[in-house]
Amino acid sequence: MAKILIAGLAGDSGCQVATLALHEKLLQILSENELVYASTLIDAKQIPEEVDVAIIEGGIRTEHEKHLAEEIRKKSKTVITIGSCACFGGIPGLANLEEGGELLKKVYAELEGTVEGHLPVHDTLTNYVAPVGNVVKVDYSIPGCPPEIDDIAYVLTTLLEGKVPLLSKSDVCDDCKRERLGTYKTAAKRLHESIPDPDRCLLEQGYLCMGPATRGGCGAPCPAAGHTCDGCRGPTEKNDDQGLTMLDALVSLANELGVNLSLPRHSGSIYRYTFASSRIEKLLRERFKI
Ligand code: SF4
Ligand code: SF4
């Protein structure tokens, strides 16, 4: 009987709730194993000793979360990160476009709506948002926002059977049913400004779809529903930097699509979930020593 721990960092609990959506698969896992800690599910205050499988969600933004991740790693045989915040820093990782202290000042003291420019005291805040893998060794990652239920079930059951789980090696375009003709519209478009052709590739229509730079396996539900892929499953197996991969594709299309590319303007699109684990962010941190 393996001891399982589920911990949420950065106040996260959404991916733990996704784990609950395993329904009867979870009941089966729990009938054969023991849940020894789950911050939103059971009342256990201390991280137990000798955990077999630890599941961590959420990125690291405070010194406390850093210590918690270190303690979990020390006490666990296998550590899995679930969700794009834990795996890559997620959307909160876009905060790394600014150094931590500067960001607090900007948001709490300099914005027009701020009451008397009051700056909150938060002396345990780390200077930047970090994916869990930046702080401790991670054995397996289940990306996604939220992660796919089938991925959670597959990784957990495979590990508990003593085997090695492997995630999809395809990209989202491989899963997508939209037709690709290899020609592109001449202007970049946004979804709230026009309705896309329901059958044709969104990128070829001029919408910024992250499919080519994103790990597949989700079945491409977003393009199927008429929305661009936002890249929530992070980089593909072949390319470790999602934004640079997309930038590369966009640069060759920039003239055809009329896209005026700039990092501050487009990082929220090409690095929506992965800026905190990108090469550019690492360079910025080294340059500014944050
Ligand atoms: S770019 Fe988007 S719409 Fe086009 S094939 Fe890839 S996932 Fe589908
Ligand atoms: S299509 Fe893209 S945004 Fe949608 S679930 Fe898959 S990876 Fe995430």
Side-chain angles (χ1 to χ4, degrees):
M1 180 172 277
K3 290 182 181 172
I4 301 174
L5 166 149
I6 310 176
L9 306 179
D12 271 6
S13 59
C15 297
Q16 289 187 58
V17 174
T19 311
L20 286 185
L22 289 170
H23 299 300
E24 67 273 16
K25 281 183 193 149
L26 181 65
L27 293 179
Q28 191 194 331
I29 290 169
L30 293 182
S31 69
E32 295 159 5
N33 303 283
E34 187 188 358
L35 191 61
V36 290
Y37 181 100
S39 41
T40 57
L41 303 179
I42 57 175
D43 186 19
K45 303 277 188 288
Q46 306 293 329
I47 303 298
E49 303 290 332
E50 298 181 1
V51 172
D52 292 296
V53 178
I55 301 167
I56 303 181
E57 70 161 323
I60 291 170
R61 173 85 261 196
T62 65
E63 291 299 330
H64 169 70
E65 287 153 2
K66 196 166 163 233
H67 294 147
L68 192 57
E70 286 165 349
E71 185 181 357
I72 293 171
R73 174 71 269 184
K74 215 163 118 196
K75 293 178 172 176
S76 310
K77 286 189 193 135
T78 302
V79 171
I80 306 173
T81 47
I82 58 163
S84 293
C85 295
C87 298
F88 318 116
I91 292 175
L94 284 169
N96 291 4
L97 284 161
E98 308 268 349
E99 184 267 333
E102 286 304 308
L103 187 68
L104 271 187
K105 228 190 318 166
K106 207 176 211 175
V107 173
Y108 288 99
E110 292 172 2
L111 282 184
E112 261 180 44
T114 315
V115 179
E116 294 171 4
H118 178 68
L119 192 62
V121 179
H122 203 320
D123 50 7
T124 64
L125 208 66
T126 50
N127 273 343
Y128 61 95
V129 175
V132 175
N134 277 23
V135 172
V136 296
K137 178 177 172 280
V138 171
D139 301 297
Y140 300 97
S141 291
I142 310 175
C145 185
E148 293 290 318
I149 306 308
D150 288 345
D151 282 347
I152 302 174
Y154 161 71
V155 172
L156 265 182
T157 47
T158 309
L159 271 176
L160 292 168
E161 284 164 8
K163 298 182 200 150
V164 178
L166 297 169
L167 284 181
S168 170
K169 290 195 165 119
S170 64
D171 59 44
V172 172
C173 293
D174 293 332
D175 299 346
C176 182
K177 302 281 184 297
R178 285 181 175 264
E179 188 181 22
R180 274 162 280 175
L181 301 176
T183 55
Y184 294 85
K185 295 281 177 194
T186 49
K189 291 186 201 157
R190 301 166 90 183
L191 280 170
H192 64 272
E193 290 166 350
S194 55
I195 297 170
D197 178 319
D199 303 316
R200 178 100 189 264
C201 167
L202 293 164
L203 194 58
E204 290 188 354
Q205 293 182 59
Y207 300 97
L208 207 167
C209 182
M210 289 291 291
T214 304
R215 185 187 288 274
C218 56
C222 304
H227 199 285
T228 48
C229 167
D230 289 344
C232 82
R233 287 167 69 83
T236 61
E237 190 83 3
K238 288 183 229 136
N239 301 296
D240 63 345
D241 193 302
Q242 191 180 24
L244 283 184
T245 308
M246 199 61 203
L247 208 53
D248 197 27
L250 287 177
V251 163
S252 52
L253 292 176
N255 285 337
E256 287 176 81
L257 292 177
V259 180
N260 187 7
L261 294 168
S262 84
L263 185 64
R265 189 156 160 249
H266 288 96
S267 48
S269 303
I270 62 173
Y271 279 123
R272 182 163 302 175
Y273 301 90
T274 59
F275 186 68
S277 54
S278 69
R279 289 188 217 163
I280 287 181
E281 191 262 4
K282 196 161 170 252
L283 283 176
L284 282 177
R285 271 196 284 125
E286 279 167 8
R287 166 118 194 256
F288 297 112
K289 306 265 181 282
I290 59 172

